[in-house]
Amino acid sequence: MATWQTDGIVWSVAYARGVVYVGGTFDSVRPPGAKPGQKAVARKNFAAFDAVTGRLLPCAHSFTEGEGTVRALKASSDGKVLYVGGSFGQVDNAGVANAVALNAADCSLRKDFRPAVSATVRAIATTGTTVYLGGDFTMVDGQDRKHVASFGPAGRLLPFKAGIDEPVRALLAAPKHGKLLVGGDFHEVNGERQQALVALNPSTGSTVASFPGWFPRRSSVKSLAGDAANFYAAAEGRGTGIFDGRVAGRLANGEMIWKDNCQGATQAVVVHQGVLYSASHAHNCSRTPGGFPDGRRHHFLAQSVGDSRILHWFPDTDDGLGEGIGPRALVMAKGILWAGGEFTTVNGRPQQGLTRFSFGPGNSAPLAAPEPAARSDKAGRITLTWRATWDRDDAELTYRIRRDGVLLASRKQRSTDWELPEMTYTDSVTPGSRHSYTVTVTDGRNTVPRSAPRAVTAAARR
């Protein structure tokens, strides 16, 4: 889908009341199709877009000083307020300290939510009564708060307190289950070993659930998502073979549902209608149902929430700028998946920092028409062979074989980019006659141009 672009990295995306908000490290945005430096519109680390049309909206604030970056965005449960975190000391002309709030109705900067946070905010979660911040900080409003803190909606620091030894990178509030899920780089919480993931009492910060053995020491949780019954964690491993994939658990009792074994650090997850979408650079999912062998990177995956099976949905980006990670943030908005990151291409075409995908069959075309080879080993028999092509969002494609421009037959074949079966078709013609064959491929909505004609003379004798 046509999408505006940024001139830098998008670290966070959020949705509220028909608007998608984008935060990151960038100076400007530009229209779909525009090259870098063309038609640029100033937007300092923050921009807003219509969730459906993608139109750039006038909602704009400049987030500067500190490291000058927005790292976390989250709307209030009613969508009326957008909470913003990162490393910044000024919003427009107002002095702040790494966390603020905006009124969604008019994009105005609120005067009440202005906590003094000592370092970068990397994660935000909200409920109807509470706002949680997680990140690198150890002090809030002059009080000790080790990497996580909670506030009233108007910014009052609450007694909630937990001792976490390393930065928090992900938060998921589950008030109906009496839990705040916290993910990050940490190894110890409240004086006990807790690797990368813990569940806290949302009022006090005491530990209510642990997840021993879920993550090795050099694995961090970068993102958390949830539905009515379950939660999903995205992991990034530091070092070859360290757990990089996704894990699903039950909110009620903390039991693990599944854990995939994909390699290639996962940066973000979002769940929608029974499918878990992830942003990563997965390159080896050979031990995951529906997965692929070690090879090229797949920057987006879709998995069944029930059993982790990888579904046939493979849009892609390049690794892009910065650390060469590709996509870093996801949000679902009115049935459209928005993705932000450091990529500079999407599906092989220039597109920087931001993209979006609609859903349904036939949204992308097969990647290429096959090139058939032809031979005649028997009188009046011509055999065509070709390698199947593939499609990013349709597993089964239809191949149409034509002789001298007339449709002869159709064949269906399932394929992926890592498994392209050989296909054949044998035609019966007059011995000694000469014919030209083409093959086209369609997903039902999109048909690629016909292959180049392949001329062959049928054998005259056995």
Side-chain angles (χ1 to χ4, degrees), residues 127-142:
T127 69
T129 59
T130 310
V131 179
Y132 298 93
L133 303 183
D136 300 355
F137 56 85
T138 57
M139 299 286 290
V140 176
D141 291 343

Side-chain angles (χ1 to χ4, degrees), residues 405-426:
V406 178
L407 181 65
L408 282 179
S410 295
R411 295 288 185 269
K412 294 183 181 294
Q413 179 64 57
R414 296 180 69 85
S415 59
T416 61
D417 71 318
W418 63 90
E419 188 173 357
L420 302 174
E422 185 174 83
M423 300 180 66
T424 64
Y425 176 77
T426 300

Side-chain angles (χ1 to χ4, degrees), residues 126-460:
T126 61
T127 69
T129 59
T130 310
V131 179
Y132 298 93
L133 303 183
D136 300 355
F137 56 85
T138 57
M139 299 286 290
V140 176
D141 291 343
Q143 298 188 43
D144 181 61
R145 290 294 188 275
K146 295 262 188 318
H147 304 295
V148 65
S150 73
F151 306 83
R156 182 175 64 89
L157 182 65
L158 299 178
F160 169 97
K161 190 175 183 181
I164 301 179
D165 66 337
E166 296 289 347
V168 166
R169 295 181 176 272
L171 296 170
L172 177 65
K176 292 183 180 179
H177 297 276
K179 296 174 182 176
L180 174 71
L181 286 165
V182 181
D185 302 336
F186 50 82
H187 313 293
E188 186 176 293
V189 178
N190 294 331
E192 297 179 343
R193 179 174 173 77
Q194 308 285 353
Q195 179 59 41
L197 181 67
V198 69
L200 303 178
N201 181 296
S203 298
T204 67
S206 62
T207 302
V208 297
S210 301
F211 306 90
W214 284 34
F215 303 92
R217 183 170 178 81
R218 288 186 291 161
S219 186
S220 298
V221 169
K222 300 294 292 290
S223 177
L224 290 164
D227 53 28
N230 304 323
F231 67 91
Y232 309 90
E236 178 181 71
R238 295 179 296 281
T240 303
I242 305 301
F243 180 63
D244 268 341
R246 287 134 315 262
V247 60
R250 301 192 191 283
L251 285 168
N253 57 20
E255 290 183 353
M256 183 185 293
I257 302 171
W258 53 258
K259 183 179 184 179
D260 73 30
N261 290 287
C262 291
Q263 297 174 11
T266 309
Q267 303 298 314
V269 286
V270 65
V271 63
H272 179 67
Q273 294 183 350
V275 177
L276 181 70
Y277 297 94
S278 59
S280 71
H281 57 266
H283 58 85
N284 185 352
C285 290
S286 57
R287 293 188 292 163
T288 301
F292 41 85
D294 198 8
R296 75 170 187 87
R297 292 180 168 188
H298 294 73
H299 291 92
F300 296 108
L301 293 179
Q303 294 173 269
S304 167
V305 298
D307 63 2
S308 83
R309 175 170 293 277
I310 294 175
L311 307 177
H312 194 101
W313 183 78
F314 299 107
D316 206 8
T317 72
D318 64 351
D319 292 340
L321 309 169
E323 297 178 38
I325 296 295
R328 287 186 173 273
L330 299 172
V331 72
M332 191 66 69
K334 289 187 175 292
I336 298 171
L337 181 65
W338 288 70
E342 54 199 59
F343 50 85
T344 60
T345 68
V346 175
N347 292 340
R349 297 180 178 180
Q351 178 71 30
Q352 186 175 359
L354 190 64
T355 190
R356 58 193 183 128
F357 304 102
S358 60
F359 293 90
N363 284 322
S364 68
L367 265 66
E371 295 297 331
R375 70 178 191 276
S376 182
D377 299 328
K378 296 182 179 180
R381 302 287 295 273
I382 293 174
T383 298
L384 305 178
T385 60
W386 66 91
R387 185 69 62 184
T389 186
W390 71 288
D391 187 302
R392 295 187 186 278
D393 59 9
D394 292 284
E396 186 176 79
L397 300 175
T398 299
Y399 296 79
R400 294 170 179 161
I401 303 101
R402 288 179 170 84
R403 182 217 303 149
D404 303 326
V406 178
L407 181 65
L408 282 179
S410 295
R411 295 288 185 269
K412 294 183 181 294
Q413 179 64 57
R414 296 180 69 85
S415 59
T416 61
D417 71 318
W418 63 90
E419 188 173 357
L420 302 174
E422 185 174 83
M423 300 180 66
T424 64
Y425 176 77
T426 300
D427 187 22
S428 297
V429 296
T430 302
S433 60
R434 187 168 178 81
H435 302 280
S436 178
Y437 293 88
T438 60
V439 178
T440 58
V441 59
T442 180
D443 60 14
R445 296 189 181 186
N446 305 289
T447 302
V448 299
R450 296 180 188 179
S451 64
R454 182 67 66 185
V456 60
T457 300

Side-chain angles (χ1 to χ4, degrees), residues 10-22:
V10 171
W11 294 100
S12 184
V13 286
Y15 169 75
R17 298 196 168 199
V19 177
V20 168
Y21 300 94
V22 174

Side-chain angles (χ1 to χ4, degrees), residues 47-111:
F49 303 89
D50 185 284
V52 176
T53 68
R55 178 174 58 91
L56 178 66
L57 300 177
C59 175
H61 292 281
S62 177
F63 290 79
T64 57
E65 297 189 358
E67 295 181 7
T69 183
V70 172
R71 294 300 182 103
L73 299 168
K74 185 68 175 182
S76 60
S77 56
D78 60 7
K80 293 182 178 180
V81 179
L82 178 73
Y83 295 94
V84 184
S87 176
F88 47 83
Q90 187 167 314
V91 178
D92 303 327
N93 296 317
V96 297
N98 301 316
V100 297
L102 307 177
N103 290 306
D106 61 2
C107 193
S108 59
L109 181 66
R110 292 176 67 97
K111 296 181 179 180

